[in-house]
Amino acid sequence: MIGNGNVALDVARMLAKHADDLLPTDIPGNVYAGLAASAVTDVHIFGRRGPAQVKFTPIELRELGAVPDVDVIVYEEDFPRDEASEQFLAASNNQVKVMSRTLNGWLTKESSGASRRLHLHFLHSPVEVYGTERVEGMRFERTAPDPANPGGVTGTGEILDYPLQAVYRAVGYRGSPLAEVPFDETLGVIPNDGGRVLDPAAQPVPGLYATGWIKRGPVGLIGHTKSDALETVTRLVEDLGNGLLPEPVEDDADAILSVLSARGISFTEWDGWLVLDAHERALGAADGSPVDRERVKVVPRDEQVGISRSVELVAS
Ligand SMILES: NC(=O)c1ccc[n+]([C@@H]2O[C@H](COP(=O)([O-])OP(=O)(O)OC[C@H]3O[C@@H](n4cnc5c(N)ncnc54)[C@H](OP(=O)(O)O)[C@@H]3O)[C@@H](O)[C@H]2O)c1
């Protein structure tokens, strides 16, 4: 895994976990089968800066240390102990200090003899993925704290090669533009004021709103995304109340259904979702595995809509 953010942690944890430990979740059958066939023994996560510059969050990092039959391994040489690094840490926020304690704690933790290992490497800047027919390894340059730029690193010229069979990238995201919608090329977001999309003259575009990462950039946990959506919808409702939406809006919640149908978009309603929910729970109950399965997720969208709607039709 390349990257030291929560996406890297999520993916690495899933790759390292034994498939059976995922049975109590809603893991779909094909994903379970894929993970159950995995021959993985070691998962490596590489960050280009130091342990005090990770973008993980404390809970997600701690979860990594609690995966059954997986040892977390860190390396002393990846922990800079120079004065500037100590000062950087001392000036960091509490989250970083908590994670630093967790990471340092793993330095002295004895191996439990687990059958899988998760290695965290810091100060490794990616140089090259190598291999002919397929990935055979990856080359990194060791970095060191840059005294001229606190929190930054410089290359040391030392090359480190790791034989690997697969490489996954989790180095953040960049939004992409939509036709006819204003776009900020520098930040990779739709320019907006609290969710109201702004034109190049910084005036609101009537009827156009943005939310999520395209509104504020690729940062934040699920809770942030919810409050962000609430802010945008609040603006929309205000504009509706003030007659600022460009087209007349029917005062009828069902109007959206006719629009979707007219456009040939398949959708389900709340009752249909409840049918799908019951179906997924029934799949879980019928699953022959030794652990209780609350549900088995139906993944293909067509199948989700089909199940919810076909039973609805039969019921009506
Ligand atoms: N459980 C959760 O709640 C959860 C799960 C997943 C994601 N999220 C959130 O979703 C957002 C996005 O997460 P993310 O992990 O995609 O992004 P992220 O937090 O921005 O982390 C990206 C990582 O990639 C590294 N990186 C970027 N360019 C690189 C390069 N050229 N070479 C090597 N490393 C490079 C960055 O290093 P530098 O710092 O050196 O740039 C950083 O460590 C975050 O706010 C995250 O917390 C939350």
Side-chain angles (χ1 to χ4, degrees), residues 29 50 73 107 110 126 132 149 160 169 177 179 190 216 225 242 269 284:
I73 300 177
L107 275 173
E110 295 277 315
T132 42
N149 172 23
L160 301 156
R169 205 174 44 145
I190 295 176
R216 69 179 193 282
T225 303
N242 292 330
E269 292 179 67

Side-chain angles (χ1 to χ4, degrees), residues 9 51 54 56-66 72 74 79 94-109 120 122:
L9 280 193
V54 293
F56 309 141
T57 41
I59 294 174
E60 281 66 25
L61 184 63
R62 256 200 320 271
E63 272 178 28
L64 206 65
V72 176
V74 287
F79 287 69
N94 263 346
Q95 280 213 19
V96 172
K97 287 178 185 150
V98 167
M99 291 191 290
S100 175
R101 278 200 291 279
T102 303
L103 291 167
N104 275 280
W106 284 334
L107 275 173
T108 49
K109 199 167 176 216
L120 288 165
F122 306 105

Side-chain angles (χ1 to χ4, degrees), residues 23-26 277-278 280-285 291-296:
L23 280 174
T25 74
D26 62 355
D277 181 51
E280 289 184 346
R281 287 176 188 279
L283 288 179
V291 294
D292 278 348
R293 301 212 57 192
E294 192 180 318
R295 70 171 66 236
V296 173

